[in-house]
Amino acid sequence: AALRALSGEWLTQLDSSADWMNEMTAKTISDGATGQGRDVLVLGALTQPPSINGLAQAAEQGECAIRLKRAVRDPAARPDPERLKRADMVLSTAALGEDTDRAALYGLRALFAWLGGDTGTARELASDSAAIDASDESHLSAALIVFAVTHDLTPAWKETCHA
């Protein structure tokens, strides 16, 4: 039920053009930025899920690892840059809410920036995430992005793009 609620809020925000959200939505998205909820947020940003239930079910079945691996390794699997930008804006807005996990939200923003090919922004956001709370193991996204940027690793689509 919690993954379905998160899926509903996330897809509503991704498909909206609003640049605001209420505190309850910000908290729901923030609470979902770690664990299996993180899979919902990543899947929703990388794909256009068929439905709220479909997104929740895909997260429950481990689809996130498959989609993320494809986005990283397959040159033809470039994520939609506009969807990644919208996901970043939604997470940025959620981070403004009271009692939100800003470190986890910034870590996901770093991941989305990196997947979009913006390593400079990815590095800044990952650093900001660590500065907020480097002690929590659940903030894996930031650590992975710091590693990728430090070692000049980029998504496969960027390595083959010459434009």
Side-chain angles (χ1 to χ4, degrees), residues 7 79 97 104 120-121:
S7 297
T121 299

Side-chain angles (χ1 to χ4, degrees), residues 2 25 29 33 36 38 52 65 78 80 93 103 110 113 117 135 147-148 159:
T25 298
I29 291 172
Q36 205 169 30
R38 179 177 49 225
I52 292 168
R78 182 178 186 179
D80 177 354
T93 302
S135 66
F147 179 87
E159 294 171 9

Side-chain angles (χ1 to χ4, degrees), residues 75-147:
R78 182 178 186 179
D80 177 354
E82 292 305 312
R83 192 155 182 92
L84 290 175
K85 284 179 191 171
R86 179 67 191 160
D88 175 70
M89 200 281 303
V90 171
L91 294 175
S92 176
T93 302
L96 298 174
E98 302 261 338
D99 195 30
T100 56
D101 187 346
R102 289 181 34 242
L105 294 169
Y106 276 51
L108 281 172
R109 290 181 64 209
L111 175 64
F112 296 155
W114 183 82
L115 287 169
D118 186 348
T119 55
T121 299
R123 180 189 309 268
E124 284 178 34
L125 289 166
S127 179
D128 289 348
S129 175
I132 294 166
D133 184 1
S135 66
D136 191 338
E137 292 177 9
S138 66
H139 303 140
L140 181 60
S141 302
L144 291 173
I145 296 308
V146 168
F147 179 87

Side-chain angles (χ1 to χ4, degrees), residues 6-118:
L6 174 61
S7 297
E9 293 288 357
W10 184 234
L11 291 181
T12 298
Q13 290 297 317
L14 288 178
D15 295 337
S16 168
S17 60
D19 59 357
W20 64 274
M21 69 182 64
N22 64 42
E23 286 293 326
M24 194 157 98
T25 298
K27 183 72 173 139
T28 299
I29 291 172
S30 173
D31 288 350
T34 58
Q36 205 169 30
R38 179 177 49 225
D39 292 358
V40 166
L41 301 182
V42 172
L43 278 168
L46 291 179
T47 64
Q48 183 66 52
S51 67
I52 292 168
N53 287 337
L55 177 57
Q57 186 175 20
E60 289 169 345
Q61 294 174 348
E63 184 74 19
C64 183
I66 295 165
R67 294 291 183 147
L68 193 52
K69 188 183 299 182
R70 184 168 177 252
V72 170
R73 293 183 178 172
D74 183 352
R78 182 178 186 179
D80 177 354
E82 292 305 312
R83 192 155 182 92
L84 290 175
K85 284 179 191 171
R86 179 67 191 160
D88 175 70
M89 200 281 303
V90 171
L91 294 175
S92 176
T93 302
L96 298 174
E98 302 261 338
D99 195 30
T100 56
D101 187 346
R102 289 181 34 242
L105 294 169
Y106 276 51
L108 281 172
R109 290 181 64 209
L111 175 64
F112 296 155
W114 183 82
L115 287 169
D118 186 348

